[in-house]
Structure formats: structure tokens, C-alpha cells
């Protein structure tokens, strides 16, 4: 396929009851979707997507929370969608700096962060490294990074669910090829594998999968998406990785909402219950009739849990 047939980064700027903006933070440009830009004095909620995804993942909460009076902003993370795709910066410190910079660039001194999967790991990291900027965090399918690591090492079922894809994406160029060939079918395969059967049979699933397949084929997006996982793996044997995990074991004493789809085959219940001492104000919430993408599969239930946290 010729390069001129690949999706343009601006293709993710879907119309809706929101405003698309470019915000400069931490040295790069981010594409953000602002559901209530006129509410500059309302509490800020920043929504962060997961692997192979983009801001659209949070569309339901973006509008639902805005309707309740919150300044709600969904972000294309570094390397994704219509945000810049620099060659470096996919380590934990830089990603936390991205979010901290975004909060300040939006004119705030603090925010609640909500993240799915890898976006949730960025929430955990920002809460540890920039505690004064983070009022509370909400996670969907994203256990504490220390809990995830120990579960993968010690729990055979969690290792079998999580490790195979993670390892095969480490191979240079192979992961990029896998994510972008057949019009991005690999992204749909992962989505279908991790969601509930009920949602997988809906028209919304088909539409979501098509949008994700297009977004991952934006030039550079697949490579940048994989760099998150490659840093997480390769840094384990380097001083920076050991230092990062040691830093992440510092307890955070802010409200934490940890949501897990009750049908999630990818992150198991025991993994979520690990290391509760690292966030003593953590509340666990099961989301019924949902798998790993609970914020899309059962959006009303997730929004209700978020409102409890924000209230």
C-alpha cells in the first residue's frame, strides 16, 4: 500500500459535542478533545487511553462528565492519533511529565486522571512523580504496576493471559508490521479477544474497531505504541528500570478508584487486589457485563463510579 493511502493524523478529529485543540506541553504538541472548554473554573478531568487506541475510547465519559459540570478532556497520548510522534520519550518519567505539563497548559493546578490499561499506568506514574498536581486517579483495567509485574511473575494464569502478546511485540519491525497489515486487523483481534461477547456482537463494536484500525495505521503510530511496551520490558534489566519500579513502590495517599470489568480475561481479579498498601485509599469496583474495555462496554456504570470519586 502506498504511503499516500495511509490515514492522515487529522482523521481522528471526529465531529461531536466537543472541541478539538492542540496543546503544547513537555516539548511536544498534543491533540486534546475538550468537552467543555468554556468551563475554565470547573474541576478538570483528564482521560487517557490504552495501547493501540486513541482519545475516542473515552467518548462516553467525555460527554457524560461534561454534562455534569466537569471540564473533561480526552488526550491522544504521545505518539498516538493526531499528537506528535517524537522518536523518544516513552519512558515512565517522560509520560508522567506529559500529563503534568498538560494539566498546567490547560490552566490548572490539579486534576483527576482517568486511564485505561497503559493510560492507567500513566495515571499511577503521574500520581507518584507529580503528587501536587493529581487530586485523584481512576483506572479501568489497569492494576498498580508493581502488582502487575509480580502477578505476571508469580501467577501462571495471569502470565498466560498477558505475556505472549507483550513478548512478541518486542521484536524490531515485526510488531509494527503486525499492527498495520490487513488494514490494522491485529488491533481488532486484540479488542475482540478482550471484550465481553455481548459487546462484541454490537454495531458499536464494529464501528469502534474500524476507527481503531484506522488510527493505528497513521504513520508512526504503531511504532510509538510499541515503544511504550518496549521501554517497559527492556528497562527491567537497566538501572533506569529498577529505579522506576523502586520509585513506583512509594505509597500514594489520594483517592484511587480501580475498576475492572467482571468479564475481563486479560487482567485477573487477584492482580487488582495486590499491593493495596501502595494506595491505601483505593476502592475496587467491578463493572458488570464488561471485559477489559469496561468504559466502552458498560459506559454508564463506569461514569457512575467516576462521579462517586469526583463527588
Amino acid at each position: 500500500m502506498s504511503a499516500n493511502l495511509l490515514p492522515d493524523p487529522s482523521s481522528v478529529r471526529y465531529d461531536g459535542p466537543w472541541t478539538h485543540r492542540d496543546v503544547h506541553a513537555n516539548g511536544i504538541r498534543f491533540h486534546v478533545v475538550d468537552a467543555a472548554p468554556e468551563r475554565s473554573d470547573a474541576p478538570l478531568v483528564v482521560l487517557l487511553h490504552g495501547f493501540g487506541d486513541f482519545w475516542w475510547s473515552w467518548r462516553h465519559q467525555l460527554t457524560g462528565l461534561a454534562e455534569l459540570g466537569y471540564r473533561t478532556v480526552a488526550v491522544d497520548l504521545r505518539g498516538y492519533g493526531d499528537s506528535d510522534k517524537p522518536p523518544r520519550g516513552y519512558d515512565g518519567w517522560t509520560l508522567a511529565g506529559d500529563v503534568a505539563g498538560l494539566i498546567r497548559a490547560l490552566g490548572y493546578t490539579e486534576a483527576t486522571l482517568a486511564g485505561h490499561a497503559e493510560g492507567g499506568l500513566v495515571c499511577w506514574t503521574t500520581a507518584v512523580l507529580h503528587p501536587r498536581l493529581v487530586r485523584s486517579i481512576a483506572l479501568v483495567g489497569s492494576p498498580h504496576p508493581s502488582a502487575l509485574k509480580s502477578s505476571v511473575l508469580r501467577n501462571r494464569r495471569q502470565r498466560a493471559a498477558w505475556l505472549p502478546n507483550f513478548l512478541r511485540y518486542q521484536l524490531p519491525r515485526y510488531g509494527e508490521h503486525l499492527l498495520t497489515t490487513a488494514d490494522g486487523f491485529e488491533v481488532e483481534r486484540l479488542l475482540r479477544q478482550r471484550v465481553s461477547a455481548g459487546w462484541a456482537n454490537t454495531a458499536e463494536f464494529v464501528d469502534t474497531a474500524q476507527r481503531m484500525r484506522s488510527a493505528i495505521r497513521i504513520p508512526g503510530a504503531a511504532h510509538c505504541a510499541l515503544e511504550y511496551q518496549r521501554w517497559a520490558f527492556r528497562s527491567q534489566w537497566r538501572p533506569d528500570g529498577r529505579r522506576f519500579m523502586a520509585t513506583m513502590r512509594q505509597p500514594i495517599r489520594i483517592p484511587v478508584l480501580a475498576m475492572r470489568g467482571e468479564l475481563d480475561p486479560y487482567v485477573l481479579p487477584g492482580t487488582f487486589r495486590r499491593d493495596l498498601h501502595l494506595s491505601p485509599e483505593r476502592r475496587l469496583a467491578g463493572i458488570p457485563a464488561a471485559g477489559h474495555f469496561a468504559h466502552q462496554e458498560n459506559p454508564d456504570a463506569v461514569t457512575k463510579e467516576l462521579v462517586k470519586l469526583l463527588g
Side-chain angles (χ1 to χ4, degrees):
M1 180 175 290
S2 62
N4 62 352
L5 295 179
L6 295 176
D8 187 84
S10 64
S11 63
V12 300
R13 296 190 176 229
Y14 297 115
D15 292 336
W18 44 61
T19 300
H20 294 276
R21 302 176 57 196
D22 294 308
V23 177
H24 290 265
N26 207 23
I28 67 170
R29 178 192 57 82
F30 290 91
H31 168 230
V32 308
V33 184
D34 197 333
E38 72 283 355
R39 294 187 191 142
S40 58
D41 57 345
L44 176 65
V45 182
V46 178
L47 307 171
L48 308 173
H49 63 81
F51 172 76
D53 213 337
F54 66 114
W55 72 269
W56 180 256
S57 185
W58 286 101
R59 60 197 175 280
H60 297 293
Q61 291 73 33
L62 180 68
T63 54
L65 293 175
E67 289 170 0
L68 295 172
Y70 296 97
R71 174 87 181 279
T72 316
V73 175
V75 181
D76 279 341
L77 291 171
R78 171 185 291 253
Y80 282 100
D82 199 14
S83 289
D84 280 350
K85 297 167 179 60
R88 290 175 292 278
Y90 301 93
D91 58 278
W93 288 280
T94 304
L95 297 170
D98 289 348
V99 177
L102 278 168
I103 294 170
R104 295 190 184 99
L106 290 167
Y108 284 79
T109 58
E110 65 173 10
T112 289
L113 308 178
H116 170 239
E118 287 184 357
L121 295 179
V122 178
C123 292
W124 285 113
T125 305
T126 309
V128 170
L129 298 179
H130 302 275
R132 294 184 180 180
L133 289 170
V134 183
R135 182 170 59 248
S136 57
I137 61 173
L139 304 316
V140 175
S142 187
H144 190 283
S146 175
L148 179 60
K149 180 178 179 179
S150 57
S151 288
V152 169
L153 291 174
R154 299 172 186 173
N155 183 294
R156 179 178 55 81
R157 288 182 60 233
Q158 184 61 82
R159 184 163 56 249
W162 189 84
L163 199 58
N165 282 324
F166 182 77
L167 289 178
R168 68 176 180 161
Y169 290 152
Q170 301 300 320
L171 298 173
R173 295 183 295 279
Y174 174 73
E176 287 85 346
H177 176 76
L178 198 61
L179 287 174
T180 55
T181 54
D183 291 331
F185 177 74
E186 172 73 358
V187 171
E188 179 174 344
R189 185 190 71 82
L190 293 175
L191 182 67
R192 189 176 296 276
Q193 185 181 74
R194 296 171 184 176
V195 302
S196 60
W199 194 64
N201 290 321
T202 65
E204 185 183 31
F205 172 89
V206 174
D207 178 68
T208 299
Q210 286 297 326
R211 293 176 195 254
M212 289 176 66
R213 290 173 66 166
S214 177
I216 201 64
R217 292 173 54 246
I218 291 170
H223 174 71
C224 294
L226 293 166
E227 286 297 281
Y228 285 72
Q229 297 197 6
R230 287 167 177 165
W231 179 83
F233 179 70
R234 296 168 186 174
S235 68
Q236 297 301 308
W237 290 271
R238 301 195 304 254
D240 60 322
R242 292 192 291 270
R243 189 168 68 250
F244 177 76
M245 288 307 299
T247 301
M248 290 307 299
R249 293 188 182 100
Q250 299 176 19
I252 60 171
R253 305 191 182 279
I254 58 173
V256 174
L257 169 62
M259 293 174 281
R260 176 186 176 272
E262 293 177 353
L263 304 177
D264 188 349
Y266 187 59
V267 182
L268 305 182
T271 304
F272 267 81
R273 292 192 290 268
R274 280 184 179 269
D275 293 344
L276 292 176
H277 65 286
L278 297 178
S279 54
E281 294 188 46
R282 192 187 321 179
R283 178 171 67 87
L284 305 178
I287 304 299
H292 188 58
F293 289 73
H295 57 312
Q296 300 191 68
E297 299 173 67
N298 193 344
D300 290 345
V302 169
T303 300
K304 286 179 182 177
E305 294 293 346
L306 287 170
V307 170
K308 293 177 189 176
L309 175 70
L310 293 164

